[in-house]
């Protein structure tokens, strides 16, 4: 069961699309003032729209939105909400001087926890071609009845290059860090090796799961 759930998640790991709801001027509304994005963007109100690599340019986008801090287990973490094309996901991360850590995610009716959390990004000062970081984590799938499955995973990240790319989804050029992610022991759960592009203050413009940036309010 873990395999099927996480495989579904792997294709949608970071990005999504939310429907827009018109506000009624006759009712009370609260507007979020988006802060300027940090090196690893995670400020309340930031959002990204993406298309899959094989999508048409006019296809409905996926949207990821930063929803602010919440509890994941006993940890205070930043919650990212992903919706679009029937997808509903939440991701929970923490940000420290040592980097960015993924604690887990949720889908309707299930929760996936990573213990210890997986380090997705290194210290800001660590970025250079050839930089590496790695670790081990246990993936646990839970539902309303308790633990359903577990898997032990070793992960490795390597910075391969820094180059300029142009995205036809947005007609924007970015100076990207090219990173590869390898997962050992997760052959039947998540892809073993994936390449993605990261841009400071903007985020991922190509994700490990093949999503390409269309638009964002980060980096503005």
């Amino acid at each position: 069961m873990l395999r099927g759930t996480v495989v579904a998640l792997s294709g949608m790991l970071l990005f999504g699309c939310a429907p827009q709801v018109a506000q009624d001027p006759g009712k009370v509304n609260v507007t979020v003032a988006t802060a300027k994005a940090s090196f690893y963007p995670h400020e309340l109100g930031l959002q990204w729209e993406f298309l899959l690599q094989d999508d048409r340019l006019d296809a409905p986008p996926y949207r990821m939105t930063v929803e602010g801090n919440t509890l994941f287990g006993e940890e205070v973490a930043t919650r990212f909400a992903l919706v679009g094309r029937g997808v509903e996901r939440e991701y929970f991360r923490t940000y420290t001087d040592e980097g960015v850590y993924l604690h887990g995610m949720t889908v309707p009716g299930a929760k996936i926890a990573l213990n210890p959390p997986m380090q997705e990004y290194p210290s800001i000062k660590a970025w250079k071609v050839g930089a590496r970081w790695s670790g081990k984590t246990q993936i646990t799938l839970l539902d309303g009845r308790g633990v359903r499955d577990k898997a032990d995973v070793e992960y490795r990240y390597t910075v391969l290059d820094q180059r300029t790319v142009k995205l036809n989804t947005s007609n924007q050029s970015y100076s990207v860090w090219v990173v590869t992610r390898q997962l050992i022991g997760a052959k039947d759960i998540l892809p073993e090796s994936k390449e993605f592009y990261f841009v400071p203050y903007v985020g991922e413009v190509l994700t490990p799961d093949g999503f390409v940036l269309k638009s964002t309010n980060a980096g503005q």
Side-chain angles (χ1 to χ4, degrees), residues 10-11 25 29 46 63 77 84 101 110 112 133 135 140 147 152 163 179 196 199:
S10 68
N29 290 304
L46 290 179
R63 182 179 295 159
Y101 296 84
I112 293 177
W133 63 98
T140 302
V147 175
D152 294 319
R163 66 173 74 120
V179 185
F196 61 96
V199 179

Side-chain angles (χ1 to χ4, degrees), residues 39 41 174-177 197-205:
F39 187 92
Y174 295 95
S175 177
V176 306
W177 288 103
Y197 298 162
F198 171 74
V199 179
Y201 306 100
V202 174
E204 291 177 357
V205 300

Side-chain angles (χ1 to χ4, degrees), residues 14-63:
L14 291 178
F15 306 107
C17 168
Q20 298 298 303
V21 179
Q23 292 186 341
D24 185 342
K27 294 183 179 180
V28 174
N29 290 304
V30 178
T31 301
V32 175
T34 304
K36 184 177 180 180
S38 55
F39 187 92
Y40 293 125
H42 62 284
E43 284 69 29
L44 179 64
L46 290 179
Q47 62 183 29
W48 300 260
E49 287 190 342
F50 289 81
L51 296 175
L52 289 168
Q53 284 181 302
D54 294 331
D55 278 342
R56 290 179 53 86
L57 291 177
D58 59 357
Y62 296 85
R63 182 179 295 159

